[in-house]
Amino acid sequence: MKSNFPALPDWEIQVKSPGRVNLLGEHVDYNQGMVLPAAIDRFVHLAARPLAERQVKIQALDLEQTVRFSLDSLDERVDENGERLPNWAVYAAGVAWALREHGLEVNGLQAMVTSNLPMGAGLSSSAALELAFALAWQAVGGWQIERMQLALICQRAENHYVGVNCGLMDQFACAHGVARHALFFDTRHLIWRPLPMPPKTAIVIADSGIQRQLANSAYNQRRQACEKAVADLKQVLPNIRALRDVSPQQLRENVDRLDETTFRRALHVVNEIERVQQACVCLENEDTPAFGRLLVESHRSLRDLFEASLAELDFLVETALQMDGCYGARLTGAGFGGCTVNLVRQECAQDFIDYLRDAYQRQFGRQTAIFSCQPSRGTHIVGK
Ligand code: GLA
């Protein structure tokens, strides 16, 4: 993986926008629960300057592609020749569309983009890109808006323009990252607070290299199962709005009201929400072993109840757990591919990375990117 960026032009707007890793609280945001992500020190880096005409011109350096589209044909999702926008450019166009829907001024822009975040690996490269463009348009437009609003606008772009039915966690985390801190986020009340990461630990990310091709359809099926659980439970618990409102005990008492699969999906969610709350206490008390055990419980629940894991992710997790200095490991993000996150004693991190890389290569015959990262500041204009 690249650690250095290709040089970007010295234009007046420079934005750094981090990816995110989710430490705990998986498949919980769209159930209005609590999550615990962190922005990481892998970034989308964007240089931009205003254009006088109502045009957007973007050069994606890593992909060696350039695209131009008009701000007057956003609804068509086409470039200036009427061709469909390439996938990556749809995110930028979607942000322009959603900002405009929100009544904000969106001006012509020229941008160059590069990134050292792996794409499609579950580290929210798309949210990072969205927030980078949102901030660039904010700088050009000169308007002010709350960070949470910006995250919501980017989520709206993804839901209604790109067509991915994601929750708010990724855009929230990219927008609000705090160095050396995890972010406790209540997705219903939109309140959050930073929590210091355990001292002398490293966050190690291991990329299975499996792109999440089926992720979108599997993700939507899981969302539907959660909605079905709420609809079925409403017959006896009329006041619930989301699985957030159901305790593990209430769910168990009503096991007969749900089909078996729906019950298991819901059980993951309600337990996972409890785990996030317990994890906050662990972080506050610097109880790293207990925090790590919650990560492992989360993985096993995602594997057995939510069925969002894969053999490669299970192997990475189980191998990690056999190693010295590993407090906990789990798949992170939507699952069905992508990465695992590992919490490792700082002094063991390099041996851990080397061993896990070799073990994965031996088992699956291919290389994987494994790297340690630091919780980082959210999307920002460089120098501000
Ligand atoms: C993806 C979505 C998020 C969240 C996670 C699962 O990353 O974009 O909103 O639902 O999956 O926790």
Side-chain angles (χ1 to χ4, degrees), residues 102-148:
H102 199 81
L104 294 162
E105 192 181 329
V106 182
N107 305 97
L109 190 80
Q110 178 172 13
M112 274 200 207
V113 189
T114 177
S115 163
N116 64 358
L117 250 178
M119 285 166 81
L123 299 175
S124 296
S125 54
S126 44
L129 192 63
E130 289 158 10
L131 262 305
F133 273 99
L135 232 66
W137 268 306
Q138 174 173 16
V140 171
W143 36 262
Q144 289 301 322
I145 192 169
E146 296 236 322
R147 276 295 158 120
M148 196 64 80

Side-chain angles (χ1 to χ4, degrees), residues 20 22 25-30 124 166-170 212 219 333-334:
R20 69 96 188 89
N22 191 18
E26 217 61 88
H27 290 279
V28 155
D29 60 352
Y30 55 83
S124 296
C166 62
L168 182 59
M169 172 172 73
D170 303 345
R212 304 174 304 131
Y219 184 85

Side-chain angles (χ1 to χ4, degrees), residues 182-249:
L183 312 168
F184 170 80
F185 178 42
D186 179 336
T187 65
R188 170 176 284 168
H189 301 296
L190 303 188
I191 47 178
W192 68 281
R193 68 195 150 96
L195 289 167
M197 284 300 292
K200 300 192 187 121
T201 58
I203 298 173
V204 176
I205 293 177
D207 185 353
S208 69
I210 314 249
Q211 294 260 336
R212 304 174 304 131
Q213 287 114 345
L214 290 177
N216 215 351
S217 57
Y219 184 85
N220 287 338
Q221 281 169 14
R222 296 299 183 278
R223 278 191 79 138
Q224 280 159 15
C226 294
E227 282 159 21
K228 181 168 189 314
V230 174
D232 292 346
L233 290 167
K234 255 185 194 266
Q235 293 167 11
V236 273
L237 302 167
N239 294 330
I240 63 168
R241 286 192 279 147
L243 283 176
R244 151 78 178 257
D245 301 312
V246 180
S247 69
Q249 196 196 333

Side-chain angles (χ1 to χ4, degrees), residues 5 8-9 11-17 43-49 58-59 92 109-115 128-137 380-382:
F5 290 105
L8 287 176
W11 292 342
E12 57 200 79
I13 301 159
Q14 303 278 332
V15 188
K16 263 175 105 175
S17 190
F43 301 94
V44 166
H45 196 166
L46 178 148
R49 62 181 175 187
I58 312 169
Q59 204 172 332
L109 190 80
Q110 178 172 13
M112 274 200 207
V113 189
T114 177
S115 163
L129 192 63
E130 289 158 10
L131 262 305
F133 273 99
L135 232 66
W137 268 306
H380 61 279
I381 303 274
V382 177

